[in-house]
């Protein structure tokens, strides 16, 4: 593994200069798992949740979050994303929702943080919309699944 790129020679945090890097197509996938009671998941899936369509709201929140990552994470570059996708898959056998995000662009820096932020904020939105029904919802396994492009090449998480 190489050195930390956001720390300069004086040990200070700084934004990496990517101006000399070539534009390449970059894509990243991330996931988050939201665990809840069978009752809470049933309310979401039946459309009977009093706050409305939980999945639609979480999907939009995740997309917005990816676009705002540079506002949230101090040393991230503002990126012109060409694709943001957030999929929510109910897993009724385990009372969970699996969130998978995909972010893509042609640019000088990767989109891992955007994908991770999208999945995280979608999960937080589910929690926010359901906390009146259940406070002990658990968000877990926020992780990078895959990234393509750039100098470091292809990465795929092991299961």
């Amino acid at each position: 593994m190489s050195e930390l790129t956001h720390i300069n020679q004086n040990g200070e945090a700084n934004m990496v200069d990517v101006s000399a890097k070539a534009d390449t197509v970059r894509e990243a996938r991330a996931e988050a798992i939201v665990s809840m009671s069978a009752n809470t998941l049933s309310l979401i899936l039946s459309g009977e949740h009093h706050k409305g369509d939980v999945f639609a709201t979480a999907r939009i929140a995740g997309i917005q979050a990816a676009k705002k990552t540079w506002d949230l994470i101090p040393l991230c570059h503002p990126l012109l994303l060409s694709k943001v996708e957030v999929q929510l898959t109910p897993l009724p056998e385990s009372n969970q929702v699996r969130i998978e995000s995909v972010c893509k662009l042609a640019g000088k820096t990767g989109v891992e943080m955007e994908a991770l932020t999208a999945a995280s904020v979608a999960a937080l939105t589910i929690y926010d919309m359901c906390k009146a029904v259940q406070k002990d919802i658990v968000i877990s396994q926020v992780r990078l699944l895959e990234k393509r492009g750039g100098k470091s090449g292809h990465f795929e998480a092991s299961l």
Side-chain angles (χ1 to χ4, degrees):
M1 177 115 317
S2 60
E3 62 191 46
L4 297 174
T5 57
H6 288 82
I7 305 296
N8 68 16
Q9 62 273 15
N10 299 324
E12 303 162 336
N14 69 340
M15 189 173 186
V16 175
D17 182 0
V18 296
S19 57
K21 293 173 82 175
D23 284 354
T24 60
V25 175
R26 297 158 185 268
E27 185 171 337
R29 290 186 311 115
E31 77 172 350
I33 303 293
V34 183
S35 301
M36 62 193 68
S37 71
N39 180 59
T40 302
L41 185 57
S42 177
L43 283 173
I44 293 169
L45 296 178
S46 69
E48 295 174 14
H49 194 287
H50 69 281
K51 286 194 176 182
D53 190 336
V54 174
F55 281 10
T57 305
R59 183 176 299 107
I60 292 167
I63 292 167
Q64 277 299 108
K67 294 168 27 177
K68 292 291 199 172
T69 299
W70 66 277
D71 270 338
L72 300 169
I73 311 291
L75 302 177
C76 283
H77 294 85
L79 301 179
L80 294 173
L81 297 169
S82 58
K83 175 182 182 176
V84 179
E85 184 177 300
V86 177
Q87 295 295 323
L88 295 99
T89 305
L91 306 170
E93 65 282 354
S94 58
N95 297 320
Q96 295 177 318
V97 176
R98 181 178 180 272
I99 300 164
E100 184 174 329
S101 63
V102 177
C103 292
K104 186 175 181 180
L105 61 63
K108 298 176 184 300
T109 189
V111 291
E112 297 93 332
M113 292 309 301
E114 287 71 16
L116 286 161
T117 301
S120 298
V121 170
L124 288 168
T125 301
I126 290 173
Y127 183 92
D128 180 52
M129 292 187 74
C130 296
K131 69 183 184 279
V133 176
Q134 181 185 353
K135 297 205 182 332
D136 63 347
I137 293 169
V138 175
I139 297 168
S140 63
Q141 204 169 308
V142 177
R143 66 181 184 142
L144 182 67
L145 295 172
E146 184 177 20
K147 76 117 199 121
R148 295 180 181 277
K151 187 170 70 172
S152 65
H154 183 239
F155 163 82
E156 191 164 11
S158 57
L159 297 176

